[in-house]
Amino acid sequence: MSMRRRTLLKVIVLGDSGVGKTSLMNQYVHKKFSQQYKATIGADFVTKELQIDDKLVTLQIWDTAGQERFQSLGVAFYRGADCCVLVYDVNVMKSFDTLDNWHEEFLKQANPPDPRAFPFILLGNKIDIDGGNSRVVSEKKAREWCASNGNIPYFETSAKEDYNVDDAFLCIAKAALVIEQGQDIYFQGIPEAGSESEQRGGCAC
Ligand code: GDP
Ligand code: MG
């Protein structure tokens, strides 16, 4: 059997400061949660390997470094994204109201070839707080927003309790993979590494 090419998928996570973007990533990649609030610092992205059907996939998940306060994330952040994850806090109305801005901002900055086909996913985070009693955005309202923006998949999550985090990121990876495979079809005319001639001839250098 031939070696399978590993697929690298770039995922970016957007939403207001404090909604739990970094916590969701930490929970997903490191299985850790911290109650302490610290402005995001350090690496631009974290990676996680997973298998989807027979494909090995590396998710490269990009976090902001707190610049989301100023909505100025720079082109490198958006460039080549395969999926955009939007996060809001179900207990904070403003974080839901600004989703339109994040959605628009992404489309403007990343400028995907077919904006309507580009995969977004919405996460309503912090559903654990006060047993749901302090929530101000209903699931119904969130789903309506998703429906009116091209049927965006929706997950309610808790980074703290590790609720729905794996399921959400699996959906994210699958959505990103669909876009990537579309590009593979586009490049079908170009001979793939590992083809018969490559194996015989080896590297040209
Ligand atoms: P970011 O600015 O969007 O990256 O948000 P952070 O991940 O830094 O989280 C902001 C604060 O919310 C931190 O104090 C986290 O501990 C807390 N937090 C994040 N997710 C959850 C959650 O699901 N439940 C609860 N109760 N707190 C959370
Ligand atoms: Mg953060």
Side-chain angles (χ1 to χ4, degrees), residues 175-196:
L177 196 56
V178 169
I179 280 280
E180 268 287 315
Q181 279 169 343
Q183 285 165 6
D184 280 357
I185 290 162
Y186 175 76
F187 287 117
Q188 248 174 17
I190 304 163
E192 269 217 55
S195 67
E196 211 185 309

Side-chain angles (χ1 to χ4, degrees), residues 4-5 7 9 11 28 48-59 166-178 181:
R4 290 212 154 264
R5 199 156 41 100
T7 308
L9 301 172
V11 171
Y28 179 58
K48 168 115 174 168
E49 317 247 300
L50 71 162
Q51 185 157 356
I52 299 175
D53 302 326
D54 63 340
K55 245 183 177 311
L56 268 182
V57 165
T58 303
L59 272 193
D166 279 4
D167 286 354
F169 275 96
L170 182 61
C171 177
I172 289 158
K174 284 183 173 171
L177 196 56
V178 169
Q181 279 169 343

Side-chain angles (χ1 to χ4, degrees), residues 15 72 75 108 130 132 139 142 146 156 164:
S72 59
V75 282
K108 195 171 105 194
D130 202 13
E139 182 172 348
C146 290
E156 305 227 306
N164 246 353

Side-chain angles (χ1 to χ4, degrees), residues 54-68:
D54 63 340
K55 245 183 177 311
L56 268 182
V57 165
T58 303
L59 272 193
Q60 191 185 68
I61 312 166
W62 287 60
D63 192 12
T64 66
Q67 322 91 313
E68 68 268 35

